[in-house]
Amino acid sequence: MSIPLLTPPPSGEQAIPFDELVARAEAGLPSSLPGDPTKIMVALDVDGTLLLPEGASERVISAFHDGVAAGMKMVIATGRGVNAVDPVFGYLKASQGWAVCSNGTTMGQWDPQLEGGRRVVRRHSFNPAEAIDALRQVMPDALIGSERDYGYAVSAPFPHGELIETFRVESMENLRSTPSTKLVGRAPSLTREEFSEAIAQTGLADTHEVAIGWTSWVDVGPRGFTKATGLEELAEYLQVPHSGIVTVGDGTNDIPMLQWAAHGVAMGGADEDVRSHADAVTGSVENDGAAALVRAILNRF
């Protein structure tokens, strides 16, 4: 099964022996990491970190399950909404777990014994009107998507394959007036560089949380809610100390959790800006860098 357009293109990183990546990751682990695996939370970004276009590799699947078996809290931390996290657990061949979704505004638990197989534990919404107006003022033709319980309410259909959730076209009035957990803007005709310049002109970064993707796509959320704040809520809920929190990711929306964690690790495919906010760098997703990090932690036990 493929995941069209969701995962970033290959990083181009040369092949690195997996054992070498594990040794490098192990050498970089902080000495303050708890010796009790139940006091460790590993927060994993999805696209560009866990998943290749064809899904999760066998090394990633194995490391994820071995982490769970050891008692570590293996957590998905993603910009994806709850509905788009369902297939992630499928790719990992896992039926239960925790996820911080929508860049920190939503926290969910997956368990086959729950009604529908999952439940939302916490959700933070915001009024998207100001952000929508700012985007449309600079880019009148931008596609707008507002996250809802069922998926997305959109101003017009997005390019094929970019929204894997259910979507419905709604009026701009409804988009502006209905609370959202995350707003997305997309301008297919612009390059990422042109789009980044346009987003800077909106001034949204002064009033909201803003993360530009690997295409001309932006996530906009309520001020003060990031993957870091969502993980902090979850760590408190699961009684994991801050010294036991390890995060790994590759995108601009991962920067807050890389900075906040006791040990933040950037993927090999991350750009220099993301890397500059991390404590260490592992291999790219093509080289199973996330799996190497988990193996390095497990080797401590």
Side-chain angles (χ1 to χ4, degrees):
M1 184 185 297
S2 65
I3 314 172
L5 300 176
L6 291 181
T7 56
S11 68
E13 183 178 77
Q14 302 255 330
I16 304 173
F18 187 69
D19 289 346
E20 179 182 324
L21 283 176
V22 173
R24 184 196 305 175
E26 194 166 359
L29 291 175
S31 59
S32 57
L33 200 67
D36 179 356
T38 66
K39 299 301 181 183
I40 293 177
M41 172 192 288
V42 181
L44 300 148
D45 172 52
V46 174
D47 302 298
T49 298
L50 283 182
L51 298 186
L52 293 159
E54 61 271 20
S57 72
E58 287 303 317
R59 280 195 181 121
V60 165
I61 294 170
S62 175
F64 186 90
H65 283 267
D66 287 351
V68 172
M72 296 194 300
K73 311 302 191 290
M74 305 295 292
V75 176
I76 303 301
T78 180
R80 293 183 181 219
V82 169
N83 296 290
V85 171
D86 287 339
V88 176
F89 281 104
Y91 283 113
L92 292 172
K93 300 180 181 179
S95 60
Q96 58 186 24
W98 291 88
V100 168
C101 312
S102 305
N103 291 325
T105 63
T106 308
M107 183 170 80
Q109 180 185 16
W110 274 252
D111 191 312
Q113 297 189 25
L114 296 170
E115 183 178 355
R118 56 173 159 83
R119 66 183 176 119
V120 172
V121 178
R122 292 180 186 170
R123 176 182 279 127
H124 304 280
S125 299
F126 73 112
N127 184 334
E130 181 183 352
I132 290 174
D133 292 346
L135 287 170
R136 295 181 69 216
Q137 183 173 2
V138 174
M139 295 175 286
D141 297 329
L143 301 172
I144 305 294
S146 183
E147 199 169 65
R148 305 283 176 81
D149 289 346
Y150 62 81
Y152 276 95
V154 299
S155 59
F158 277 51
H160 177 70
E162 292 194 356
L163 294 177
I164 64 173
E165 306 96 320
T166 298
F167 66 87
R168 303 171 188 165
V169 176
E170 293 193 6
S171 68
M172 194 59 65
E173 179 182 353
N174 285 344
L175 288 172
R176 293 180 74 260
S177 63
T178 306
S180 176
T181 45
K182 188 183 73 174
L183 191 76
V184 300
R186 177 78 163 99
S189 64
L190 300 182
T191 65
R192 188 181 186 276
E193 291 72 24
E194 293 168 338
F195 186 74
S196 296
E197 292 175 4
I199 292 300
Q201 294 174 32
T202 66
L204 279 173
D206 297 329
T207 56
H208 295 73
E209 298 298 335
V210 174
I212 297 173
W214 58 274
T215 62
S216 52
W217 172 298
V218 66
D219 288 347
V220 182
R223 190 69 165 173
F225 290 92
T226 66
K227 288 188 181 185
T229 62
L231 289 169
E232 186 172 23
E233 283 188 304
L234 183 57
E236 181 180 352
Y237 190 86
L238 298 178
Q239 298 184 321
V240 176
H242 182 263
S243 61
I245 296 172
V246 178
T247 61
V248 58
D250 71 311
T252 58
N253 62 338
D254 295 314
I255 290 174
M257 74 172 185
L258 294 176
Q259 292 176 310
W260 167 78
H263 189 55
V265 180
M267 293 293 290
D271 64 26
E272 287 305 317
D273 182 40
V274 175
R275 290 178 179 222
S276 70
H277 295 282
D279 299 304
V281 178
T282 186
S284 67
V285 65
E286 303 99 286
N287 281 317
D288 293 320
L293 174 63
V294 175
R295 284 288 162 213
I297 299 171
L298 287 170
N299 283 349
R300 287 207 162 186
F301 311 122

